[in-house]
Amino acid sequence: MNDPRRLMELLAPVHDAARMTARRLCRSHADGDDLFHEAVLRALGHLHELRDASKFRSWFYAVLLNVHRARHRHDFWRRLVSFDETRAELVVDDESDALAGAHRMARALATLAPPEREAIVLFELEGFSLDEIAALQRSSLSAVKSRLVRARGRLRRHYERRERVTRPVVQEQS
Amino acid sequence: MSTRNTDSRIESDLKALAESSARGLPTLDQTARALTVARTQPAGGRIMSIVRKPLFATALGAAVVAAVLVCPVPYSRTVGYELTVTNAAGRVAKIRVPAKNAAQAERRAAELRKHGAVVAVAARTERVWGSVYAMAKDKLLDVHVDLDGKTDAQVADDIRAQLASGGWNADDVQVQRSAEGSTVQIDAQDDSGRQMKVVRKTSGGDEKSMDFQLGGIDDAREPGMTDAQLRDKILQQLKARGLDADVTVDGGKIQIRASKSVEE
């Protein structure tokens, strides 16, 4: 039975972590919260399919990743047909280095393909094992490993490109 | 930057992202309330669930595109530019430039100015009937600025000149570039007093040139046209350009807010 109270009970232990994951997968907190809400709604609709409550965490994360991929697939149509959704940048409300770094990383992650972004976020920030990520992404272990290497390489190139652009400006000022 | 430095920067930025995503995190109760609210709006949810299915989204998108592209509407389009050249002796000559791009006309004008002439650039227009897509494409003012070796003030001057060629007097053009990205703010008005305020933000500091399109919205009211019909006419043009828009028409007052999100 799809009972919201049961869903909230199951969600309680993983709520904060999953919400943060959703935010890290998106360019803004608003987008991340929207993704999370959609995943919760989807989870409620499919709660009867959850056979073993002890596996709720991985089941819910799989739902979250499915919603994340689906939203990305629809980006093209969203540009053409307005669903009154505007994408906001991660809000940086002060000039601290940490927030600037967070902003930089959110932008860098947005350049990755969704499976690569998910792999980086789940492995580097959420502490999932390679086996767990493989199960969540329905991929082989070797596919996840090469996805992580590829994503790392892309992040590195993104940072190096930005650094090359920054360097002449610094020289001009000195 | 060495690979080790890059990697350590990536590590610290990942950590910063992890910390920032914990800020102001909604509680489980707030999630429960949001779920309750979402479930009390079944109609909207059902529509969105249909819309979010790829097949239906494709069909809906195709239907909207077809409607937007096929319906013919009257509009005036730029067919070229006229340069009014005044030499040192006061003699005036007019040169017709077939270019539809204001930047090309402005470049031609700049060449003539090098020889001491005073050159005014004006757009030549004609009234035609065509599809909304054709209208949106025709009426756009293409702004192209090479950024190489130019200061922000020089870029602003370049934009101002191209706007002037397209019939817009730019009251204020501000350009700010940094390694994080660029921001361009434009306040302009045309000869009939229509005002345009544009804010363009891009992230990433590796722009070699700046290309964007401005104006181009035909907001002329045809005889017998109601506020709602005029609003639809404007909305169709904005949608044809892939913009999310909010348009209000109240008699002679028209307000357009449009935005476009593009991934890096």
Side-chain angles (χ1 to χ4, degrees):
Chain A
M1 184 185 163
N2 298 339
D3 179 1
R5 269 186 303 188
R6 181 170 175 247
L7 176 63
M8 286 301 121
E9 283 168 16
L10 291 166
L11 189 61
V14 299
H15 175 269
D16 288 1
R19 251 202 194 272
M20 285 191 278
T21 305
R23 286 182 168 190
R24 290 161 188 167
L25 287 171
C26 298
R27 279 184 73 151
S28 73
H29 287 180
D31 273 359
D33 290 344
D34 195 29
L35 166 64
F36 181 78
H37 285 151
E38 202 175 329
V40 171
L41 265 176
R42 176 86 63 92
L44 181 64
H46 293 267
L47 194 57
H48 60 279
E49 294 168 13
L50 176 66
R51 305 269 176 250
D52 182 355
S54 66
K55 291 182 178 164
F56 177 80
R57 179 176 179 257
S58 56
W59 179 81
F60 183 74
Y61 267 89
V63 172
L64 185 69
L65 297 192
N66 281 337
V67 174
H68 176 240
R69 301 265 184 100
R71 286 164 69 98
H72 193 270
R73 274 199 299 274
H74 299 151
D75 266 4
F76 172 76
W77 291 111
R78 283 182 186 185
R79 282 179 206 170
L80 202 62
V81 186
S82 170
F83 295 148
D84 64 52
E85 284 187 50
T86 49
R87 197 176 301 125
E89 292 267 329
L90 181 72
V91 176
V92 180
D93 49 13
D94 62 44
E95 294 298 319
S96 75
D97 285 349
L99 278 177
H103 193 199
R104 206 160 41 231
M105 179 50 68
R107 279 213 311 266
L109 286 173
T111 64
L112 302 180
E116 292 173 356
R117 193 184 316 155
E118 290 165 7
I120 284 281
V121 168
L122 293 174
F123 185 74
E124 303 281 358
L125 300 177
E126 314 301 341
F128 279 81
S129 69
L130 292 172
D131 287 326
E132 285 174 315
I133 296 170
L136 285 173
Q137 294 195 321
R138 294 178 190 161
S139 305
S140 66
L141 190 61
S142 60
V144 172
K145 282 180 185 170
S146 54
R147 195 169 286 155
L148 276 168
V149 170
R150 212 165 41 236
R152 267 279 181 180
R154 288 201 173 137
L155 284 179
R156 198 176 289 124
R157 283 195 293 279
H158 176 86
Y159 271 71
E160 284 166 355
R161 260 202 315 273
R162 291 174 59 83
E163 175 63 18
R164 275 201 297 275
V165 173
T166 313
R167 205 172 292 144
V169 177
V170 174
Q171 285 169 351
E172 201 172 276
Q173 285 173 341
S174 60
Chain B
M1 191 194 277
S2 71
T3 304
R4 203 168 58 184
N5 281 346
T6 306
D7 284 345
S8 79
R9 188 116 186 244
I10 288 172
E11 290 304 328
S12 67
D13 284 358
L14 275 168
K15 198 175 159 202
L17 178 67
E19 284 165 4
S20 96
S21 57
R23 288 175 54 168
L25 201 66
T27 62
L28 183 66
D29 284 345
Q30 286 172 307
T31 300
R33 278 199 293 277
L35 182 63
T36 307
V37 170
R39 292 181 76 227
T40 55
Q41 296 170 334
R46 212 171 291 137
I47 289 167
M48 285 314 292
S49 69
I50 291 169
V51 165
R52 282 185 175 138
K53 291 184 192 312
L55 186 66
F56 286 99
T58 305
L60 177 64
V64 172
V65 171
V68 163
L69 300 188
V70 171
C71 298
V73 291
Y75 66 98
S76 57
R77 70 177 179 193
T78 301
V79 291
Y81 288 84
E82 190 168 78
L83 310 185
T84 306
V85 185
T86 311
N87 70 8
R91 285 191 62 187
V92 178
K94 288 187 186 291
I95 301 171
R96 287 194 165 187
V97 181
K100 285 188 181 179
N101 186 326
Q104 289 174 16
E106 191 55 41
R107 274 198 290 276
R108 182 80 186 274
E111 285 167 17
L112 294 167
R113 286 186 191 114
K114 282 179 191 167
H115 297 98
V118 176
V119 186
V121 184
R124 290 190 300 116
T125 60
E126 67 178 13
R127 193 78 175 156
V128 294
W129 276 77
S131 68
V132 172
Y133 176 75
M135 172 174 64
K137 194 166 176 290
D138 275 342
K139 289 183 67 60
L140 286 175
L141 171 59
D142 284 308
V143 176
H144 170 84
V145 186
D146 289 320
L147 302 177
D148 203 22
K150 286 185 183 167
T151 64
D152 288 352
Q154 286 170 327
V155 173
D157 286 343
D158 206 339
I159 293 171
R160 203 175 277 115
Q162 291 185 41
L163 283 168
S165 308
W168 288 91
N169 304 310
D171 300 322
D172 186 28
V173 179
Q174 288 182 27
V175 177
Q176 286 180 321
R177 285 176 293 163
S178 70
E180 298 299 315
S182 67
T183 304
V184 179
Q185 290 193 51
I186 299 166
D187 279 293
Q189 58 181 340
D190 68 3
D191 294 337
S192 61
R194 279 187 304 175
Q195 292 187 323
M196 169 169 74
K197 185 180 178 85
V198 176
V199 179
R200 176 188 183 270
K201 287 186 178 179
T202 55
S203 49
D206 51 356
E207 279 187 305
K208 295 279 182 289
S209 64
M210 206 177 258
D211 290 277
F212 53 97
Q213 298 170 320
L214 295 171
I217 299 300
D218 184 358
D219 55 4
R221 191 190 293 265
E222 303 303 322
M225 195 177 252
T226 64
D227 282 357
Q229 287 168 332
L230 179 55
R231 177 179 174 275
D232 287 346
K233 176 182 167 180
I234 295 168
L235 268 175
Q236 281 182 351
Q237 296 171 60
L238 295 164
K239 278 193 175 174
R241 283 156 63 169
L243 292 162
D244 290 330
D246 179 25
V247 178
T248 56
V249 178
D250 182 13
K253 190 177 174 188
I254 300 169
Q255 275 196 333
I256 302 170
R257 286 172 188 277
S259 64
K260 187 174 192 175
S261 300
V262 180
E263 291 281 342
E264 268 183 305

